[in-house]
Amino acid sequence: MRDQAPGAPIRSGVPEHGRIPKYYAVKARIAGLIDELGDGRTLPTERDLAERYEVARETVRQALRELLLEGRLRRQGRGTVVAGPKLEQPLSLASYTEGVRRQGRTPGRNLISLDRFPCPAALAADIGTPLGEPVWHMERVLLADDERVGLESTYVAVARVPRLDRDFEPDSSFYAYLRDRLGIPFGDADERIETVLATPREALLIGTPPALPMLLIHRLSRDTEGRPLERVRTLYRGDRFSFTTHLASEG
């Protein structure tokens, strides 16, 4: 236990009886190789790894699958390379753009659709819009250094942002647009996080396998007067993101 790295699984995942699956032992050795290679370096082929560790290729394949899901590796063309560290997104009113820039990455968004439709009952209370009044739905793919890392759906009343389709640059921060262009400051928000699998359409837009776990955040935002402002549904790649927050004692 004295050699246990901070934050690592207890005993590196070894059960008390001391027996571990063969693939897990190979996974641990490949993880060590990943640390030696460094970000962006190409991993040896499955065949080479199987020969190196004297195991079947299926054993190596299972180990690689887990390392890919955990974000330690990523596919590049026909090969596999060491992935960089996960993006840390703060659980705060800071926008995605601000969070990515803090880590020295270049944020971006690709617009998929911007639609206007009558507000349904399920959405009316969340964004403070009467039933049937027009609302915007904006869907954008999230980028970090041109890598697709998420999918964002924003719902907001047309009455609050009537010129969204004309004045707003889709690859920029929506929060900055509201604050700087329209003078609408954010007050507070409620968020809920869960783990989901992407739908086939979402996986295609983000560029991931459907089996890759996603982190889904639901956000309901209000302005400084407490009026409902937006509802956002954001999918983040589970292999590329972690979330951070600061906790303080209320006492």
Side-chain angles (χ1 to χ4, degrees), residues 75-237:
R75 299 294 189 192
Q76 183 170 291
R78 301 185 64 181
T80 303
V81 301
V82 178
K86 289 188 178 184
L87 289 159
E88 293 185 2
Q89 186 70 359
L91 291 173
S92 68
L93 283 176
S95 72
Y96 167 79
T97 299
E98 295 165 348
V100 172
R101 280 179 177 158
R102 284 198 203 105
Q103 296 169 77
R105 305 285 294 275
T106 301
R109 291 178 172 90
N110 286 340
L111 181 67
I112 302 301
S113 63
L114 177 58
D115 303 314
R116 174 175 169 155
F117 59 92
C119 186
L123 189 60
D126 288 345
I127 61 173
T129 300
L131 186 67
E133 289 296 302
V135 296
W136 293 114
H137 171 234
M138 179 168 58
E139 186 176 41
R140 297 183 291 173
V141 171
L142 304 178
L143 306 173
D145 290 342
D146 294 324
E147 178 187 10
R148 290 178 286 175
V149 294
L151 183 66
E152 178 185 76
S153 288
T154 302
Y155 300 87
V156 62
V158 171
R160 300 298 299 267
V161 285
R163 296 176 59 88
L164 184 65
D165 58 338
R166 287 169 284 177
D167 292 347
F168 178 63
E169 294 294 334
D171 63 347
S172 65
S173 168
F174 181 56
Y175 288 5
Y177 169 74
L178 291 174
R179 181 186 63 238
D180 302 335
R181 188 72 177 265
L182 302 182
I184 302 176
F186 277 80
D188 64 352
D190 296 319
E191 286 191 335
R192 176 167 58 88
I193 304 176
E194 57 183 310
T195 304
V196 299
L197 296 178
T199 66
R201 176 180 179 272
E202 291 167 339
L204 183 64
L205 289 172
I206 302 173
T208 61
L212 180 71
M214 296 281 178
L215 296 168
L216 172 60
I217 291 190
H218 304 270
R219 172 183 280 197
L220 298 177
S221 302
R222 292 169 289 270
D223 61 21
T224 51
E225 297 178 357
R227 297 168 57 198
L229 182 54
E230 60 160 5
R231 176 168 134 185
V232 182
R233 179 185 187 275
T234 309
L235 276 176
Y236 292 96
R237 287 177 52 170

